[in-house]
Amino acid sequence: MKNVVILGSTGSIGTSALKVVDDLPDRLRVVGLAAGSNVGLLREQARRYRPRLACLRDPAAAAELEATPGLPCEVCSGEEGLVRLATMPEADIVLLAIVGTGGLRPALAAIRAGKDLALASKEVLVMAGSIVMREARAHGVRILAVDSEHSAIFQCLDGRPIESVRKLWLTASGGPFRDPQRWPKHRFAEIRLEDALQHPSWVMGRKITIDSATLFNKGLEMIEARWLFDIPIDRVEVLIHPQSVVHSMVEFVDGSWLAQLSTPDMCLPIQYALTYPERVPSGRVQTDFVKLGALTFEAPDRERFPALDLARQAGRIGGTLPAVLNAANEVAVAAFVQGRLSFAEIPERVRRAMEAHRVIEEPTLEQILEADAWARRVTLEI
């Protein structure tokens, strides 16, 4: 039996993780749940799964939850509460699914407490990959990918040395604007919020769905892969695969390729991370290749989607620049959601913030967080 803490339990990854717990009651037990401000759903989850500790980042929301009659758990709040959950003595693994930079300190706390980390928050490795992976090695813990793409690569590598790899290939659906005939570059300024939220393959939160539409999501995944698999970012590539059945591939030095395939369902990579190194039977994901038919691939359009080149630049230069890329993108996406910025302007604002930044090559955690705050201020000014 593994004791699991889920940070971000009310989001799409967190709710999928709880489905996996439902499927495997003899193997997985929830001991901690955390959310941002969704009191109602966290209350339901606490009553159903009866964790020992629940946390809401918003203190007012935590007070509301704590006032619930008969609540079967203790309640805490804020970043201190997240760190407390991440370091629970009884926890075996922490699933981190907090969108944005808020997961960085809890992630490091979990690692330093000797907890394996099932990682669904790209920002943790994008911002501080060098520090996080160094801490994981020092404390002998595993960083297990929850993103379907990185889980696929992890499964394909299966312990093989990175020296045997020519390239890692991350697949991308291409998002709702993949078709250049329907969405030529000059029409990007016309894109509305509701257009950007129509992801063709996955049901996700608003921020990550818009990132998938701009391909910033894939750019962040390139940087994440660079750290997860200790490989130069110039050996990480992106391939558009509209069916989202091949979740990613590894090209080896001898010319062989390995791919991991399945019907799109986030429960599969979540279950693999939570039960690793075992493969546990599940009837949730069924893949019928006859029904799926053809699988197609194409090169990404870097002119219409400059996010990929911006991410490669940030990953190649390193230091504080990836944190600036991530923060500037968060601010630009928020401005687009609020109607203050066009879809086409998102990557341009990120580019300008990156150009204005003076990179610190080997930053401390404090310098990374300072770069993040600097980028948010500068992007708002831009």
Side-chain angles (χ1 to χ4, degrees):
M1 178 71 73
K2 278 189 181 179
N3 289 334
V4 182
V5 168
I6 302 176
L7 304 183
S9 67
T10 59
S12 59
I13 295 294
T15 53
S16 292
L18 290 172
K19 292 177 184 178
V20 173
V21 172
D22 291 340
D23 292 343
L24 304 172
D26 297 330
R27 291 179 176 270
L28 301 173
R29 178 194 297 118
V30 175
V31 295
L33 294 171
S37 58
N38 192 336
V39 179
L41 183 51
L42 187 59
R43 181 186 290 117
E44 292 177 19
Q45 293 174 346
R47 284 172 169 163
R48 177 169 180 175
Y49 297 98
R50 305 183 70 82
R52 298 179 186 176
L53 189 59
C55 176
L56 281 154
R57 191 168 183 87
D58 179 2
E64 182 181 342
L65 178 65
E66 194 168 21
T68 302
L71 193 72
C73 62
E74 186 182 348
V75 178
C76 56
S77 67
E79 187 175 83
E80 296 78 10
L82 292 174
V83 168
R84 185 178 170 194
L85 260 77
T87 58
M88 291 178 70
E90 57 268 53
D92 298 307
I93 187 167
V94 176
L95 171 60
L96 185 63
I98 298 172
V99 176
T101 59
L104 184 52
R105 290 192 187 277
L108 288 170
I111 291 169
R112 289 164 180 163
K115 313 299 181 184
D116 284 344
L117 191 65
L119 189 60
S121 300
K122 296 175 178 60
E123 296 82 1
V124 168
L125 290 181
V126 170
M127 292 180 65
S130 177
I131 295 173
V132 170
M133 297 309 292
R134 182 174 66 242
E135 290 286 328
R137 289 190 294 270
H139 291 86
V141 304
R142 293 180 291 210
I143 307 294
L144 300 162
V146 169
D147 273 351
S148 61
E149 296 84 357
H150 300 98
S151 175
I153 290 172
F154 181 68
Q155 293 177 62
C156 290
L157 287 174
D158 196 24
R160 295 176 177 86
I162 206 66
E163 292 78 18
S164 68
V165 173
R166 181 175 293 159
K167 288 185 177 180
L168 304 180
W169 290 85
L170 300 169
T171 56
S173 71
F177 312 122
R178 180 181 65 85
D179 185 351
Q181 302 301 316
R182 183 181 177 192
W183 291 105
K185 186 176 181 180
H186 68 83
R187 286 199 62 202
F188 273 27
E190 305 171 17
I191 290 172
R192 303 166 300 170
L193 176 60
E194 52 265 40
D195 300 323
L197 293 175
Q198 296 301 311
H199 195 279
S201 302
W202 303 98
V203 177
M204 304 176 292
R206 176 174 286 189
K207 164 63 166 54
I208 193 171
T209 303
I210 295 171
D211 280 351
S212 295
T214 61
L215 292 194
F216 261 111
N217 187 50
K218 208 54 52 177
L220 297 176
E221 288 176 7
M222 291 167 61
I223 300 173
E224 188 180 8
R226 176 262 177 277
W227 290 113
L228 271 174
F229 306 111
D230 194 21
I231 190 170
I233 198 166
D234 288 333
R235 288 162 61 190
V236 182
E237 299 286 352
V238 172
L239 197 61
I240 302 300
H241 171 51
Q243 295 81 19
S244 298
V245 171
V246 177
H247 295 295
S248 277
M249 300 178 284
V250 176
E251 178 186 2
F252 291 94
V253 292
D254 62 358
S256 298
W257 292 58
L258 289 180
Q260 186 266 326
L261 299 80
S262 70
T263 302
D265 191 320
M266 281 306 300
C267 287
L268 195 155
I270 292 169
Q271 176 176 306
Y272 188 73
L274 293 181
T275 62
Y276 183 82
E278 295 182 77
R279 283 195 184 271
V280 178
S282 172
R284 187 173 290 278
V285 180
Q286 303 293 330
T287 303
D288 186 328
F289 283 97
V290 174
K291 290 182 180 179
L292 288 172
L295 302 178
T296 60
F297 304 89
E298 58 195 63
D301 186 338
R302 286 183 155 79
E303 183 180 356
R304 289 193 303 139
F305 300 102
L308 295 177
D309 288 337
L310 292 173
R312 188 178 297 280
Q313 177 189 355
R316 186 182 292 132
I317 294 173
T320 48
L321 195 58
V324 170
L325 167 92
N326 177 72
N329 178 58
E330 282 192 23
V331 172
V333 168
F336 169 65
V337 169
Q338 295 160 9
R340 298 188 292 109
L341 194 70
S342 77
F343 182 86
E345 290 174 306
I346 294 174
E348 184 56 31
R349 295 303 186 270
V350 175
R351 183 195 309 278
R352 290 173 62 182
M354 290 173 62
E355 289 173 350
H357 181 61
R358 181 176 295 179
V359 177
I360 299 173
E361 293 184 3
E362 295 184 8
T364 63
L365 179 60
E366 289 70 25
Q367 289 171 322
I368 289 170
L369 294 173
E370 287 170 5
D372 173 88
W374 174 91
R376 293 174 192 277
R377 291 194 306 270
V378 168
T379 307
L380 282 171
E381 291 169 6
I382 292 172

